[in-house]
C-alpha cells in the first residue's frame, strides 16, 4: 500500500512537511482488539504537524520512526482482529486513532496516528459506524467534534468539566476553525448565548453557525468589548496567555470557567476568580455516535474548507499549518 511517512522529528515544521515521503509499505495486519480499515478520507488536525517538531515528545512521544501521521479516518473495515465483537468486515466507520492510544496507553506500535495511508489499523473500541452517511460529511467529526463536545458538556479522561446549559453565556475563541465551527453549533443548539472571535470576512460564516455576537480579533480587544458581562464560560481554541490572564477575568463571572484546548504552557494557572482547565479529548465511541446522529438528523454540519487528493497530503498539512482554514481540511483517497 501507499503511505505518507515522516523519517524523524524536525524543529522546522514546514521543512518536515516538505520532507514527508509517499512510500510503498506492507498492508498492516490487525492485532488483538484492532481492525484494518481501507481508508476513504482523512481529515487534518493541527496535532498532525505539531508532533513533527518533537516539542510534544515529553507528553506524547512518537516511539516508531518512520511513521505515518494522521488521526482522523473514514473508511471501510477490511479485517477484524481477535477480540473485536462490535465491528464486522464491510462496516463503514469513522474514528480518531487517538493521541493517547498512539503514544501512551498502550502505544499502538505505529508511531502516532497512521491515517494518511491506503489502509490503517484502528482500535475497534473507538470506531463509530456511520451507516450510509456520506464520508465527506462526517470524516471531520472525530477529533474536532469529540473535543468540542467533551470540553463544552462532559469533560474527558478524569476531568469532569464543561456542563454548558441553556441560558449560559459562552465565548468561543476561534469560532471559524475546525473545532470552533462545531463548538458554535453545539453550544447554540444547547440554548447558550454564544459569542465568538473571528476575522471580519468570516462574520457571516460564524453567524450562520450560531454566533449571536462576533468580535473581530484583528482590531478589537474582546476583553474590553465584553468587560463586565459575566460570561459563564470561555472555550479557548487559540491559546494566548493574555487571553487567560488579562482578558478573561474582565469578562467571566466570578468562578467562571476558562477551558483551553490550546494552552499547554505549564505556567498557565489562571488568575484569581477564574476556574482554569486545560483539556485533552478522549477518543470515545459513545460520544462520537451521538454526534454522528446529530449530523444524520441535520442538527450539526461539519464544514469542510477544502478537499485535497491523497497525493497532495503535504499541501493539506501546509494549509492547516497556516491556521486560516474555515472548518476542516480533508484528504480524499
Ligand atoms: N487539546 C485538545 O484535545 C485539542 C483537540 C483539538 C484541537 N486542539 C488545538 O486547538 C487549536 C484549534 O484547532 P482547530 O483544529 O480548530 O484549528 P484550525 O482549524 O486550524 O483553526 C483555524 C482557525 O483559527 C482562526 N484563528 C486563528 N487565530 C485566531 C485568533 N487569534 N483569534 C480568533 N480566531 C483565530 C482562524 O480564523 P481567521 O482566518 O479568521 O484568523 C481559522 O478559522 C489548535 O491549537 C489545536 O492543536 C486541541
Amino acid at each position: 500500500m501507499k503511505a505518507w511517512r515522516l523519517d524523524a522529528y524536525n524543529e522546522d515544521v514546514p521543512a518536515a512537511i516538505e520532507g514527508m515521503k509517499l512510500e510503498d509499505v506492507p498492508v498492516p495486519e490487525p492485532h488483538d482488539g484492532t481492525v484494518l480499515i481501507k481508508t476513504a478520507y482523512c481529515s487534518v488536525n493541527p496535532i498532525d504537524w505539531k508532533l513533527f517538531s518533537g516539542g510534544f515528545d515529553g507528553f506524547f512521544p512518537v516511539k516508531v520512526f518512520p511513521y505515518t501521521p494522521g488521526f482522523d479516518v473514514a473508511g471501510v473495515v477490511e479485517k477484524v482482529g481477535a477480540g473485536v465483537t462490535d465491528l464486522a468486515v464491510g462496516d463503514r466507520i469513522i474514528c480518531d486513532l487517538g493521541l493517547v492510544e498512539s503514544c501512551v496507553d498502550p502505544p499502538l506500535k505505529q508511531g502516532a496516528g497512521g491515517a494518511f495511508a491506503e489502509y490503517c489499523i484502528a482500535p475497534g473500541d473507538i470506531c463509530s459506524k456511520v451507516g450510509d452517511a456520506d464520508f465527506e460529511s462526517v470524516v471531520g467529526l472525530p477529533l474536532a467534534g469529540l473535543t468540542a463536545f467533551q470540553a463544552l458538556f462532559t469533560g474527558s479522561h478524569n476531568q469532569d468539566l464543561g456542563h454548558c446549559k441553556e441560558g449560559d453565556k459562552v465565548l468561543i475563541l476561534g469560532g471559524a476553525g475546525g473545532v470552533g465551527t462545531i463548538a458554535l453549533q453545539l453550544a447554540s443548539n444547547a440554548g447558550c448565548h454564544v459569542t465568538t472571535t473571528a476575522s471580519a470576512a468570516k462574520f457571516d460564516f460564524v453567524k450562520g453557525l450560531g454566533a449571536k455576537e462576533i468580535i473581530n480579533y484583528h482590531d478589537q480587544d474582546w476583553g474590553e468589548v465584553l468587560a463586565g458581562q459575566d460570561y459563564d464560560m470561555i472555550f479557548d481554541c487559540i491559546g494566548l496567555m493574555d487571553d487567560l490572564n488579562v482578558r478573561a477575568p474582565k469578562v467571566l463571572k466570578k468562578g467562571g470557567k476558562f477551558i483551553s484546548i490550546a494552552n499547554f504552557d505549564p505556567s498557565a494557572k489562571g488568575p484569581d476568580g477564574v476556574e482554569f482547565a486545560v483539556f485533552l479529548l478522549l477518543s470515545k465511541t459513545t460520544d462520537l455516535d451521538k454526534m454522528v446522529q446529530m449530523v444524520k438528523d441535520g442538527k450539526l454540519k461539519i464544514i469542510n474548507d477544502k478537499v485535497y487528493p491523497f497525493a497532495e497530503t503535504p499541501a493539506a498539512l501546509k494549509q492547516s499549518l497556516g491556521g486560516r482554514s474555515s472548518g476542516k481540511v480533508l484528504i480524499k483517497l
Side-chain angles (χ1 to χ4, degrees):
M1 70 169 187
K2 298 273 184 213
W4 283 99
R5 305 225 288 175
L6 186 80
D7 284 336
Y9 287 141
N10 185 344
E11 278 181 20
D12 181 346
V13 174
I17 293 173
E18 293 278 349
M20 288 170 67
K21 292 181 200 139
L22 185 60
E23 295 180 331
D24 286 305
V25 298
V27 176
E29 277 296 315
H31 45 278
D32 289 3
T34 67
V35 293
L36 177 70
I37 295 166
K38 186 172 197 298
T39 313
Y41 280 87
C42 306
S43 98
V44 178
N45 293 284
I47 191 64
D48 299 332
W49 50 261
K50 282 185 180 181
L51 290 177
F52 287 8
S53 72
F56 277 80
D57 193 74
F59 306 108
F60 304 113
V62 176
K63 293 181 175 143
V64 181
F65 285 101
Y67 83 101
T68 295
F71 289 97
D72 274 342
V73 62
V76 179
V77 175
E78 183 92 0
K79 277 189 189 177
V80 176
V84 176
T85 52
D86 293 343
L87 294 172
V89 171
D91 282 344
R92 302 175 80 251
I93 62 100
I94 56 171
C95 165
D96 158 27
L97 293 172
L99 186 59
V100 173
E101 291 80 356
S102 288
C103 302
V104 184
D105 185 26
L108 263 180
K109 305 178 190 137
Q110 59 196 32
F116 299 161
E118 289 175 328
Y119 293 86
C120 69
I121 297 291
D125 61 359
I126 56 176
C127 295
S128 275
K129 294 184 212 175
V130 299
D132 58 4
D134 169 21
F135 279 143
E136 201 167 303
S137 68
V138 288
V139 66
L141 193 48
L143 199 154
L146 286 166
T147 302
F149 179 82
Q150 293 169 350
L152 288 173
F153 300 111
T154 63
S156 70
H157 300 279
N158 296 323
Q159 277 179 310
D160 177 25
L161 46 77
H163 307 297
C164 267
K165 56 185 189 314
E166 189 173 358
D168 279 0
K169 293 168 85 173
V170 177
L171 168 63
I172 295 172
L173 301 178
V179 179
T181 48
I182 298 173
L184 284 175
Q185 296 175 75
L186 294 178
S188 171
N189 291 349
C192 301
H193 176 92
V194 187
T195 299
T196 195
T197 53
S199 298
K202 296 186 179 177
F203 272 32
D204 287 344
F205 174 66
V206 292
K207 203 169 169 188
L209 299 172
K212 291 279 184 297
E213 290 179 62
I214 308 156
I215 297 159
N216 178 358
Y217 72 90
H218 292 286
D219 52 37
Q220 281 183 297
D221 179 335
W222 59 262
E224 298 304 326
V225 178
L226 303 175
Q229 293 194 21
D230 282 348
Y231 270 69
D232 295 280
M233 182 197 284
I234 296 173
F235 178 44
D236 171 32
C237 304
I238 303 300
L240 300 177
M241 201 59 101
D242 276 358
D243 284 351
L244 171 63
N245 290 333
V246 180
R247 297 183 185 94
K250 297 179 191 166
V251 169
L252 285 172
K253 69 180 189 189
K254 195 162 171 43
K257 298 167 191 160
F258 188 102
I259 298 177
S260 181
I261 59 168
N263 187 345
F264 283 83
D265 186 328
S267 71
K269 300 278 181 265
D272 284 349
V274 171
E275 195 186 305
F276 171 63
V278 187
F279 172 87
L280 182 67
L281 85 146
L282 175 66
S283 202
K284 187 174 170 188
T285 301
T286 48
D287 288 349
L288 194 50
D289 284 347
K290 284 181 197 151
M291 279 183 291
V292 168
Q293 197 56 47
M294 288 180 207
V295 172
K296 287 184 172 178
D297 293 343
K299 292 179 180 151
L300 175 65
K301 187 168 164 47
I302 309 308
I303 311 290
N304 296 326
D305 184 298
K306 186 164 175 179
V307 184
Y308 288 84
F310 183 54
E312 293 173 23
T313 294
L317 284 162
K318 269 197 199 153
Q319 174 172 339
S320 172
L321 178 64
R324 298 272 88 87
S325 303
S326 301
K328 298 297 302 179
V329 176
L330 305 188
I331 296 164
K332 183 177 182 180
L333 279 90

